[in-house]
Amino acid sequence: MGDLENVDVSDERVVVGNGVSVPASWTVVLRNEPDVPGEIRVRTAYDPALSRIVATEVTVARRGEGDEVTSLTLREVRVQTALQVSGLKVSTVSEPDYAVCSGGDYIRRMRKREGRDLAASVVDASRTYKLAAVINLPPLKAVADCLGVSQSTATRLMNRARVEGLAPGVHLPDPSATGPVTNAPAPGGPTIG
């Protein structure tokens, strides 16, 4: 990805739950994107019907004479990636005993956290899932990657979070998959002794 800048960031924030919030709207500006001869602007907003940020407008302005915006140029615009990367920068996450931080810093914190018990793993999974879902990252993959567990363990953790009321609105393929979480594949993952 080329150079990314967030501009026109709304002062109004949307609290989406589990300590996660995003601006109501902002604009992502991309410059020096490969195969795009100009500046890309992606206007974003939180859509309450979808419970996530969405692109509301995408524009490409050519750099100058000799450049042309064509349908081929438009196919090179990676809108979803722009939403995800900028979303990690403008989202905030608060959790007890820690300073409020950006979504990107929160994900780095989750990857380093060790010694979680099952209860802490369920809370961390639900917060990570909420952050990922609101900024268009694949949420179960984000939980698995951040907590150092398999995707099936991430699914079980999120089903437990749903059953415990920590993940309202989360609909997973198998709501009965709340069985024991054992043999986590990476250090810091949840286990039941």
Side-chain angles (χ1 to χ4, degrees), residues 83-98:
L83 288 176
Q84 294 165 346
V85 173
S86 71
L88 285 170
K89 293 179 179 199
V90 299
S91 60
T92 58
V93 180
S94 65
E95 62 177 324
D97 303 322
Y98 291 92

Side-chain angles (χ1 to χ4, degrees), residues 106-107 110-113 116 121-122 124-130 132-133 137-158 172 181 183-190:
Y106 175 78
I107 285 178
M110 286 297 98
R111 288 183 174 153
K112 292 178 183 176
R113 188 171 286 172
R116 293 179 181 95
S121 294
V122 170
D124 288 350
S126 64
R127 189 174 286 119
T128 301
Y129 187 99
K130 183 61 84 170
L137 288 170
L140 284 173
K141 182 178 182 334
V143 170
D145 291 349
C146 290
L147 275 63
V149 298
S150 69
Q151 188 118 356
S152 61
T153 298
T155 301
R156 285 192 295 278
L157 287 169
M158 285 310 300
L172 298 170
V181 180
N183 301 326

Side-chain angles (χ1 to χ4, degrees), residues 36-110:
V36 180
E39 180 180 271
I40 303 163
R41 288 182 167 262
V42 181
R43 184 77 180 142
T44 68
Y46 177 78
D47 185 321
L50 297 173
S51 301
R52 61 184 169 86
I53 58 170
V54 297
T56 60
E57 181 181 17
V58 179
T59 60
V60 179
R62 72 183 191 148
R63 252 186 302 240
E65 289 185 28
D67 290 328
E68 181 179 24
V69 176
T70 65
S71 61
L72 181 60
T73 305
L74 296 175
R75 282 196 294 269
E76 297 301 323
V77 176
R78 297 179 293 162
V79 174
Q80 204 63 5
T81 301
L83 288 176
Q84 294 165 346
V85 173
S86 71
L88 285 170
K89 293 179 179 199
V90 299
S91 60
T92 58
V93 180
S94 65
E95 62 177 324
D97 303 322
Y98 291 92
V100 174
C101 63
S102 71
D105 288 341
Y106 175 78
I107 285 178
R108 284 185 281 284
R109 183 188 302 159
M110 286 297 98

Side-chain angles (χ1 to χ4, degrees), residues 6-17 19-27 44-48 53 86-94 100-104 106 130-131 134-135:
N6 291 318
V7 299
D8 302 327
V9 180
S10 171
D11 290 333
E12 178 186 351
R13 296 198 67 85
V14 179
V15 176
V16 296
V20 178
S21 74
V22 293
S25 63
W26 73 93
T27 300
T44 68
Y46 177 78
D47 185 321
I53 58 170
S86 71
L88 285 170
K89 293 179 179 199
V90 299
S91 60
T92 58
V93 180
S94 65
V100 174
C101 63
S102 71
Y106 175 78
K130 183 61 84 170
L131 171 64
V134 77
I135 63 170

Side-chain angles (χ1 to χ4, degrees), residues 118 160 178-184 190-193:
L118 180 59
R160 282 182 185 250
T178 57
V181 180
T182 59
N183 301 326
T191 59
I192 294 180

